[in-house]
Every structure is written in C-alpha cells, then in structure tokens.
Amino acid sequence: MDYKKDIKDIGAATQRTSAGMVIFGTTLSKKCERIATAIYLVTNFLSDTEPMRARLRTLSLELVRDASLVKSGSHGVEANVLENLKGNIEETLSLFELAFIAGLVSEMNFTILKREYSLLRNIIEVKKASRDSHTDSILGDNFFGTSDPAPFLP
C-alpha cells in the first residue's frame, strides 16, 4: 500500500471540497446580494419611522455579510454561518408576513420575496445536510479509483 499516494489523494479531495465550498459560497453570496437589493427596494415604500424597515434592512445586510463569510471558504465557521443564515431567513420571513398582513407590503412583493427566501433556505439546508453527512468533504471523485482495470468477479 502506497501511503504517500493515499495522503496525496486525501489532500486533493480536501482541496476539491474547499473549492466546492467557495463555488457554493459565490453562488450563495450573489443570491443574497440580489435578495438584499430587493429588500431595500421594497422597504423604500415603508415609512422612515417604521421600525420594521430598519430591521429588514439590517437583516438583509447581515445576510450578505454571512454569505460572504461562506464565500471566503473559512472552514471553521461554515456550520455556524449556515445556521445564522437560516435564522436570519426565518426572522425575515416572519417580519415580511407581518408586513403583508398589516398592509405594508404588496401581495406580489411578499410572494416573490417569500419564494426567494424559501429557495435560499432550501439551498442552505441541502448544503448543511451534505456537510453533516460528510458527503462533500471525505470522499473525493477518485477515492475508489484503482489502477487495476480488471472487472470484479465473484
């Protein structure tokens, strides 16, 4: 058994998963930036004195900040940041539902933002589940690859 080759293969798999997290983070970051822009546009219709306006904008900025942390690929904080993102999404959805019921936000804007936040939450849950099961960090594409092309015979 060639231990040096095995260590090299594990290192390559780790690099691929780090790159995968950066790609995921970049996509997540862009989506969060678009959502934050939408929040700012929709909250422009709220009164300057409406506390919900300030809170929704703060949450949208925190969303962008946390997504950029995932984009930077810092392994130590990913799980916590993903949890923070989920909490942020839940609070924002609750506030938007309240704003819609109170007549502060149109049905169309509420529906669009609710859909986008729900999609974002689903993306994060899938990524978190794959991280929790270690499917994206332990086994690389070539983990089971062998140099022997002989078929398996029972």
Side-chain angles (χ1 to χ4, degrees):
M1 176 167 248
D2 186 2
Y3 292 107
K4 289 181 183 177
K5 180 185 175 302
D6 293 341
I7 291 171
K8 181 180 156 203
D9 289 346
I10 290 170
T14 302
Q15 287 174 350
R16 277 194 301 274
T17 58
S18 292
M21 194 60 174
V22 170
I23 291 168
F24 168 76
T26 301
T27 304
L28 180 73
S29 184
K30 288 294 179 193
K31 185 161 188 68
C32 289
E33 288 170 11
R34 285 189 209 106
I35 288 173
T37 302
I39 295 292
Y40 266 76
L41 292 171
V42 170
T43 57
N44 273 338
F45 295 108
L46 300 178
S47 166
D48 291 343
T49 60
E50 173 60 52
M52 199 176 305
R53 175 184 170 140
R55 184 63 187 149
L56 286 167
R57 287 180 171 199
T58 299
L59 286 168
S60 73
L61 293 176
E62 290 172 1
L63 189 76
V64 171
R65 179 201 61 208
D66 289 345
S68 69
L69 288 174
V70 174
K71 183 170 106 175
S72 70
S74 37
H75 253 10
V77 296
E78 287 168 5
N80 291 335
V81 172
L82 292 176
E83 279 303 314
N84 289 345
L85 285 167
K86 282 177 55 181
N88 181 309
I89 291 167
E90 294 303 322
E91 183 178 352
T92 303
L93 284 172
S94 295
L95 289 174
F96 260 107
E97 190 159 349
L98 178 62
F100 171 64
I101 292 168
L104 300 173
V105 176
S106 73
E107 182 176 1
M108 181 183 68
N109 287 334
F110 170 70
T111 302
I112 291 169
L113 284 166
K114 182 178 179 181
R115 180 188 68 222
E116 291 304 315
Y117 269 101
S118 296
L119 288 171
L120 183 61
R121 180 181 52 211
N122 292 343
I123 290 167
I124 292 168
E125 286 174 354
V126 166
K127 186 61 173 181
K128 188 172 180 327
S130 71
R131 286 188 50 72
D132 290 347
S133 68
H134 302 292
T135 57
D136 68 343
S137 61
I138 294 176
L139 303 178
D141 293 337
N142 297 323
F143 185 81
F144 291 107
T146 62
S147 59
D148 182 18
F152 175 76
L153 298 174

